[in-house]
């Protein structure tokens, strides 16, 4: 049974949101990815969010561009943690998405990540950290990932100018 649901408003959001899936794969966390539009399939969104806990999900990652109501509307219908990823839009380069997701009213929480691919990857990492609270294997995978990052940086500590 998957621990994390990755949902997005449109299939065109997948190039961004797949970064959450890649991070979850790397950390050994099971997930399901699907399209659930806040505006075009509002009944599907409500059904999904209301049944998410019963289906065994522990965390929901919602990615959306433009008006970006998806993460907030999911959060309104579930008690599970919801992490919102603003997807870069062509009109305002994702600023509209960011503001839409981050400006939640008091009492309906959505953890908002950075715009785009980095935000999606970090949403996957954050979701894994939540799952890791109850899963020692995932917790160890996160520690190993962090140690890899440290080793990579330390291996690049000396920089030199190229010869002209």
């Amino acid at each position: 049974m998957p621990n994390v649901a990755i949902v997005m408003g449109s299939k065109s959001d997948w190039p961004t949101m797949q970064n959450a899936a890649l991070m979850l794969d790397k950390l050994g966390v099971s997930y399901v990815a699907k399209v659930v539009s806040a505006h075009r399939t509002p009944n599907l969104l409500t059904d999904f969010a209301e049944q998410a806990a019963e289906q065994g999900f522990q965390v929901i990652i919602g990615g959306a561009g433009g008006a970006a109501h998806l993460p907030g509307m999911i959060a309104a219908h579930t008690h599970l943690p919801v992490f919102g990823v603003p997807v870069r839009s062509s009109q305002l380069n994702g600023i509209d998405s960011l503001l839409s997701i981050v400006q939640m009213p008091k009492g309906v929480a959505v953890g908002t990540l950075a715009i785009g691919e980095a935000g999606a990857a970090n949403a996957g990492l954050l979701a894994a950290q939540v799952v890791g609270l109850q899963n020692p294997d995932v917790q160890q995978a996160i520690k190993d990932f962090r140690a890899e990052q440290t080793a990579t940086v330390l291996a690049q500590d000396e920089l030199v100018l190229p010869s002209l």
Side-chain angles (χ1 to χ4, degrees):
M1 186 176 298
N3 299 103
V4 178
I6 302 172
V7 295
M8 60 214 78
S10 169
K11 188 176 179 180
S12 66
D13 297 334
W14 183 236
T16 297
M17 297 308 295
Q18 69 183 343
N19 290 280
L22 291 168
M23 182 63 75
L24 292 168
D25 277 342
K26 181 175 184 66
L27 298 171
V29 177
S30 61
Y31 64 88
V32 167
K34 55 175 56 184
V35 174
V36 178
S37 171
H39 300 109
R40 293 178 292 272
T41 61
N43 294 334
L44 175 63
L45 180 142
T46 301
D47 292 344
F48 164 77
E50 288 177 349
Q51 297 168 15
E54 295 168 16
Q55 293 185 7
F57 295 116
Q58 294 174 286
V59 181
I60 300 170
I61 299 171
H69 293 118
L70 179 70
M73 290 305 299
I74 289 173
H77 291 284
T78 186
H79 66 277
L80 297 175
V82 176
F83 301 130
V85 177
V87 174
R88 202 172 302 282
S89 58
S90 58
Q91 291 81 15
L92 298 173
N93 211 26
I95 298 296
D96 50 347
S97 310
L98 173 65
L99 294 175
S100 226
I101 295 171
V102 79
Q103 287 296 101
M104 291 300 299
K106 179 180 176 181
V108 182
V110 172
T112 307
L113 284 297
I115 297 168
E117 293 80 7
N122 281 340
L125 178 57
L126 195 55
Q129 289 172 309
V130 170
V131 171
L133 292 171
Q134 297 177 351
N135 184 325
D137 293 336
V138 172
Q139 200 170 73
Q140 186 59 52
I142 293 165
K143 290 176 184 178
D144 293 345
F145 171 74
R146 296 294 295 267
E148 281 177 39
Q149 288 187 307
T150 299
T152 300
V153 170
L154 293 176
Q156 303 172 34
D157 66 339
E158 193 172 318
L159 303 174
V160 294
L161 289 173
S163 299
L164 298 177

